[in-house]
PDB file of all heavy atoms in Angstrom:
ATOM      1  N   ILE A  85     -31.386  65.258 -26.997  1.00 92.00           N
ATOM      2  CA  ILE A  85     -31.752  66.588 -26.600  1.00 92.00           C
ATOM      3  C   ILE A  85     -31.487  66.804 -25.125  1.00 92.00           C
ATOM      4  O   ILE A  85     -30.974  67.886 -24.722  1.00 92.00           O
ATOM      5  CB  ILE A  85     -33.251  66.852 -26.905  1.00 92.00           C
ATOM      6  CG1 ILE A  85     -33.443  66.874 -28.429  1.00 92.00           C
ATOM      7  CG2 ILE A  85     -33.773  68.122 -26.264  1.00 92.00           C
ATOM      8  CD1 ILE A  85     -34.884  66.827 -28.890  1.00 92.00           C
ATOM      9  N   ASN A  86     -31.675  65.843 -24.336  1.00 95.00           N
ATOM     10  CA  ASN A  86     -31.384  65.918 -22.885  1.00 95.00           C
ATOM     11  C   ASN A  86     -29.894  66.078 -22.675  1.00 95.00           C
ATOM     12  O   ASN A  86     -29.453  66.840 -21.789  1.00 95.00           O
ATOM     13  CB  ASN A  86     -31.860  64.721 -22.141  1.00 95.00           C
ATOM     14  CG  ASN A  86     -33.368  64.716 -21.895  1.00 95.00           C
ATOM     15  OD1 ASN A  86     -33.947  65.806 -21.830  1.00 95.00           O
ATOM     16  ND2 ASN A  86     -34.012  63.588 -21.768  1.00 95.00           N
ATOM     17  N   GLU A  87     -29.071  65.466 -23.478  1.00 93.00           N
ATOM     18  CA  GLU A  87     -27.670  65.607 -23.347  1.00 93.00           C
ATOM     19  C   GLU A  87     -27.248  67.095 -23.660  1.00 93.00           C
ATOM     20  O   GLU A  87     -26.395  67.682 -23.006  1.00 93.00           O
ATOM     21  CB  GLU A  87     -26.882  64.635 -24.296  1.00 93.00           C
ATOM     22  CG  GLU A  87     -26.966  63.191 -23.792  1.00 93.00           C
ATOM     23  CD  GLU A  87     -26.110  62.288 -24.645  1.00 93.00           C
ATOM     24  OE1 GLU A  87     -24.998  62.713 -25.112  1.00 93.00           O
ATOM     25  OE2 GLU A  87     -26.565  61.215 -24.936  1.00 93.00           O
ATOM     26  N   LEU A  88     -27.878  67.685 -24.693  1.00 93.00           N
ATOM     27  CA  LEU A  88     -27.582  69.061 -24.986  1.00 93.00           C
ATOM     28  C   LEU A  88     -28.021  69.969 -23.817  1.00 93.00           C
ATOM     29  O   LEU A  88     -27.290  70.938 -23.476  1.00 93.00           O
ATOM     30  CB  LEU A  88     -28.383  69.513 -26.271  1.00 93.00           C
ATOM     31  CG  LEU A  88     -27.842  68.823 -27.582  1.00 93.00           C
ATOM     32  CD1 LEU A  88     -28.738  69.207 -28.729  1.00 93.00           C
ATOM     33  CD2 LEU A  88     -26.437  69.204 -27.866  1.00 93.00           C
ATOM     34  N   ALA A  89     -29.161  69.667 -23.197  1.00 95.00           N
ATOM     35  CA  ALA A  89     -29.614  70.401 -22.053  1.00 95.00           C
ATOM     36  C   ALA A  89     -28.640  70.283 -20.898  1.00 95.00           C
ATOM     37  O   ALA A  89     -28.346  71.273 -20.165  1.00 95.00           O
ATOM     38  CB  ALA A  89     -30.987  70.008 -21.671  1.00 95.00           C
ATOM     39  N   LEU A  90     -28.100  69.097 -20.652  1.00 95.00           N
ATOM     40  CA  LEU A  90     -27.123  68.908 -19.578  1.00 95.00           C
ATOM     41  C   LEU A  90     -25.863  69.774 -19.829  1.00 95.00           C
ATOM     42  O   LEU A  90     -25.157  70.043 -18.914  1.00 95.00           O
ATOM     43  CB  LEU A  90     -26.798  67.446 -19.465  1.00 95.00           C
ATOM     44  CG  LEU A  90     -27.906  66.553 -18.853  1.00 95.00           C
ATOM     45  CD1 LEU A  90     -27.527  65.063 -18.938  1.00 95.00           C
ATOM     46  CD2 LEU A  90     -28.210  66.986 -17.412  1.00 95.00           C
ATOM     47  N   LEU A  91     -25.550  70.027 -21.097  1.00 90.00           N
ATOM     48  CA  LEU A  91     -24.396  70.903 -21.407  1.00 90.00           C
ATOM     49  C   LEU A  91     -24.723  72.353 -21.209  1.00 90.00           C
ATOM     50  O   LEU A  91     -23.884  73.197 -21.429  1.00 90.00           O
ATOM     51  CB  LEU A  91     -23.976  70.621 -22.826  1.00 90.00           C
ATOM     52  CG  LEU A  91     -23.396  69.231 -23.110  1.00 90.00           C
ATOM     53  CD1 LEU A  91     -23.170  69.041 -24.638  1.00 90.00           C
ATOM     54  CD2 LEU A  91     -22.054  69.046 -22.381  1.00 90.00           C
ATOM     55  N   GLY A  92     -25.980  72.660 -20.808  1.00 93.00           N
ATOM     56  CA  GLY A  92     -26.387  74.027 -20.577  1.00 93.00           C
ATOM     57  C   GLY A  92     -27.205  74.699 -21.614  1.00 93.00           C
ATOM     58  O   GLY A  92     -27.595  75.816 -21.445  1.00 93.00           O
ATOM     59  N   LEU A  93     -27.520  74.027 -22.695  1.00 95.00           N
ATOM     60  CA  LEU A  93     -28.293  74.595 -23.783  1.00 95.00           C
ATOM     61  C   LEU A  93     -29.792  74.584 -23.420  1.00 95.00           C
ATOM     62  O   LEU A  93     -30.345  73.544 -23.195  1.00 95.00           O
ATOM     63  CB  LEU A  93     -28.065  73.888 -25.107  1.00 95.00           C
ATOM     64  CG  LEU A  93     -28.756  74.409 -26.329  1.00 95.00           C
ATOM     65  CD1 LEU A  93     -28.257  75.859 -26.608  1.00 95.00           C
ATOM     66  CD2 LEU A  93     -28.457  73.528 -27.588  1.00 95.00           C
ATOM     67  N   THR A  94     -30.371  75.773 -23.407  1.00 95.00           N
ATOM     68  CA  THR A  94     -31.836  75.857 -23.161  1.00 95.00           C
ATOM     69  C   THR A  94     -32.649  76.448 -24.294  1.00 95.00           C
ATOM     70  O   THR A  94     -33.803  76.256 -24.395  1.00 95.00           O
ATOM     71  CB  THR A  94     -32.074  76.653 -21.872  1.00 95.00           C
ATOM     72  OG1 THR A  94     -31.554  78.037 -22.042  1.00 95.00           O
ATOM     73  CG2 THR A  94     -31.491  76.021 -20.606  1.00 95.00           C
ATOM     74  N   LYS A  95     -31.975  77.245 -25.151  1.00 96.00           N
ATOM     75  CA  LYS A  95     -32.639  77.884 -26.225  1.00 96.00           C
ATOM     76  C   LYS A  95     -31.664  78.113 -27.412  1.00 96.00           C
ATOM     77  O   LYS A  95     -30.511  78.424 -27.216  1.00 96.00           O
ATOM     78  CB  LYS A  95     -33.158  79.241 -25.739  1.00 96.00           C
ATOM     79  CG  LYS A  95     -33.975  80.027 -26.724  1.00 96.00           C
ATOM     80  CD  LYS A  95     -34.479  81.295 -26.135  1.00 96.00           C
ATOM     81  CE  LYS A  95     -35.347  82.068 -27.092  1.00 96.00           C
ATOM     82  NZ  LYS A  95     -35.823  83.371 -26.536  1.00 96.00           N
ATOM     83  N   VAL A  96     -32.194  77.978 -28.618  1.00 96.00           N
ATOM     84  CA  VAL A  96     -31.452  78.239 -29.824  1.00 96.00           C
ATOM     85  C   VAL A  96     -32.131  79.375 -30.593  1.00 96.00           C
ATOM     86  O   VAL A  96     -33.310  79.277 -30.945  1.00 96.00           O
ATOM     87  CB  VAL A  96     -31.354  76.984 -30.781  1.00 96.00           C
ATOM     88  CG1 VAL A  96     -30.631  77.313 -32.079  1.00 96.00           C
ATOM     89  CG2 VAL A  96     -30.701  75.801 -30.047  1.00 96.00           C
ATOM     90  N   GLU A  97     -31.447  80.476 -30.755  1.00 96.00           N
ATOM     91  CA  GLU A  97     -32.055  81.644 -31.397  1.00 96.00           C
ATOM     92  C   GLU A  97     -31.708  81.659 -32.928  1.00 96.00           C
ATOM     93  O   GLU A  97     -32.204  82.493 -33.643  1.00 96.00           O
ATOM     94  CB  GLU A  97     -31.549  82.911 -30.750  1.00 96.00           C
ATOM     95  CG  GLU A  97     -32.114  83.107 -29.375  1.00 96.00           C
ATOM     96  CD  GLU A  97     -31.885  84.476 -28.728  1.00 96.00           C
ATOM     97  OE1 GLU A  97     -31.036  85.173 -29.267  1.00 96.00           O
ATOM     98  OE2 GLU A  97     -32.530  84.701 -27.708  1.00 96.00           O
ATOM     99  N   GLY A  98     -30.870  80.803 -33.322  1.00 95.00           N
ATOM    100  CA  GLY A  98     -30.556  80.691 -34.765  1.00 95.00           C
ATOM    101  C   GLY A  98     -31.376  79.556 -35.395  1.00 95.00           C
ATOM    102  O   GLY A  98     -32.493  79.217 -34.951  1.00 95.00           O
ATOM    103  N   ASP A  99     -30.802  78.979 -36.426  1.00 97.00           N
ATOM    104  CA  ASP A  99     -31.497  77.889 -37.187  1.00 97.00           C
ATOM    105  C   ASP A  99     -31.035  76.501 -36.700  1.00 97.00           C
ATOM    106  O   ASP A  99     -29.937  76.362 -36.220  1.00 97.00           O
ATOM    107  CB  ASP A  99     -31.222  77.989 -38.682  1.00 97.00           C
ATOM    108  CG  ASP A  99     -31.852  79.198 -39.312  1.00 97.00           C
ATOM    109  OD1 ASP A  99     -32.983  79.586 -38.841  1.00 97.00           O
ATOM    110  OD2 ASP A  99     -31.258  79.785 -40.230  1.00 97.00           O
ATOM    111  N   LEU A 100     -31.863  75.536 -36.791  1.00 95.00           N
ATOM    112  CA  LEU A 100     -31.535  74.141 -36.646  1.00 95.00           C
ATOM    113  C   LEU A 100     -31.247  73.605 -38.043  1.00 95.00           C
ATOM    114  O   LEU A 100     -32.128  73.616 -38.921  1.00 95.00           O
ATOM    115  CB  LEU A 100     -32.749  73.367 -36.030  1.00 95.00           C
ATOM    116  CG  LEU A 100     -32.493  71.905 -35.917  1.00 95.00           C
ATOM    117  CD1 LEU A 100     -31.339  71.552 -35.001  1.00 95.00           C
ATOM    118  CD2 LEU A 100     -33.805  71.214 -35.374  1.00 95.00           C
ATOM    119  N   VAL A 101     -29.995  73.236 -38.235  1.00 96.00           N
ATOM    120  CA  VAL A 101     -29.580  72.800 -39.580  1.00 96.00           C
ATOM    121  C   VAL A 101     -29.276  71.308 -39.525  1.00 96.00           C
ATOM    122  O   VAL A 101     -28.452  70.825 -38.740  1.00 96.00           O
ATOM    123  CB  VAL A 101     -28.297  73.572 -39.973  1.00 96.00           C
ATOM    124  CG1 VAL A 101     -27.843  73.115 -41.412  1.00 96.00           C
ATOM    125  CG2 VAL A 101     -28.538  75.070 -40.002  1.00 96.00           C
ATOM    126  N   LEU A 102     -30.016  70.539 -40.358  1.00 92.00           N
ATOM    127  CA  LEU A 102     -29.731  69.078 -40.388  1.00 92.00           C
ATOM    128  C   LEU A 102     -28.759  68.765 -41.529  1.00 92.00           C
ATOM    129  O   LEU A 102     -29.047  69.089 -42.669  1.00 92.00           O
ATOM    130  CB  LEU A 102     -31.062  68.363 -40.646  1.00 92.00           C
ATOM    131  CG  LEU A 102     -32.138  68.626 -39.565  1.00 92.00           C
ATOM    132  CD1 LEU A 102     -33.422  67.901 -39.928  1.00 92.00           C
ATOM    133  CD2 LEU A 102     -31.649  68.271 -38.247  1.00 92.00           C
TER     134      LEU A 102
END
Side-chain angles (χ1 to χ4, degrees):
I85 292 166
N86 283 333
E87 287 184 41
L88 293 174
L90 289 173
L91 294 172
L93 182 61
T94 59
K95 184 177 181 181
V96 177
E97 291 187 349
D99 291 326
L100 175 63
V101 181
L102 303 178

